[in-house]
């Protein structure tokens, strides 16, 4: 089992920045892919970014390309999501997820089903 804990959420004005962290514990070596997802009230959960822990390869949703960066610190078992130039439409609960033993499959629709470990989420609110 892998346990995930997110941190770093908060409230910012449009154009501001936040950095989210996802710290893993437990069977951390079983992770192959880590993703960030978000869900706003009344909306479907959507993928934001994923990173392959072996190669470091990344995939981003079109809505965040050029503004968000996902990165890893393997020594600390932490995956980060740096969010710059935030917009009100980025407001959501952000979740970290891990896929064990299998490689990343990108961010196709329904990608959340590929992940088997989830954190509790951290709230991001962007005001205009």
């Amino acid at each position: 089992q892998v346990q995930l804990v997110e941190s770093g959420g908060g409230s910012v004005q449009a154009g501001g920045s936040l950095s989210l962290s996802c710290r893993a514990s437990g069977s951390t070596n079983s992770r192959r892919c880590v993703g960030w997802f978000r869900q706003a009230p009344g909306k479907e959960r959507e993928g934001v970014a994923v990173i392959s822990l072996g190669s470091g390869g990344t995939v981003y949703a079109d809505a965040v390309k050029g503004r968000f960066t996902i990165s890893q610190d393997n020594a600390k078992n932490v995956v980060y999501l740096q969010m710059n130039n935030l917009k009100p439409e980025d407001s959501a609960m952000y979740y970290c997820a891990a896929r064990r033993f299998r490689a990343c499959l990108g961010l196709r629709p329904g990608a959340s089903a590929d992940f088997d470990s989830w954190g509790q989420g951290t709230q991001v609110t962007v005001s205009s």
Side-chain angles (χ1 to χ4, degrees):
Q1 293 288 339
V2 175
Q3 292 78 45
L4 303 172
V5 178
E6 303 96 334
S7 62
S11 297
V12 295
Q13 290 190 327
S17 298
L18 284 172
S19 181
L20 306 184
S21 298
C22 172
R23 184 173 300 276
S25 60
S27 302
T28 57
N29 290 338
S30 66
R31 298 174 303 152
R32 297 293 180 269
C33 178
V34 174
W36 284 97
F37 292 79
R38 66 187 182 186
Q39 188 167 18
K43 293 189 176 181
E44 297 280 327
R45 185 170 297 188
E46 63 175 351
V48 174
V50 297
I51 185 167
S52 295
L53 297 184
S55 66
T58 58
V59 177
Y60 295 92
D62 288 343
V64 306
K65 280 180 182 177
R67 301 188 297 122
F68 290 13
T69 303
I70 188 170
S71 62
Q72 59 180 319
D73 184 332
N74 286 335
K76 297 181 179 179
N77 293 318
V78 177
V79 170
Y80 302 97
L81 184 69
Q82 177 65 41
M83 305 185 295
N84 297 328
N85 190 21
L86 282 161
K87 304 176 181 180
E89 52 263 42
D90 294 318
S91 297
M93 185 71 78
Y94 282 70
Y95 298 92
C96 171
R99 178 174 165 89
R100 302 174 64 200
F101 304 118
R102 296 169 294 173
C104 287
L105 295 178
L107 283 176
R108 69 185 191 285
S112 61
D114 297 335
F115 293 80
D116 39 43
S117 300
W118 290 83
Q120 294 299 307
T122 186
Q123 180 68 41
V124 171
T125 303
V126 185
S127 58
S128 57

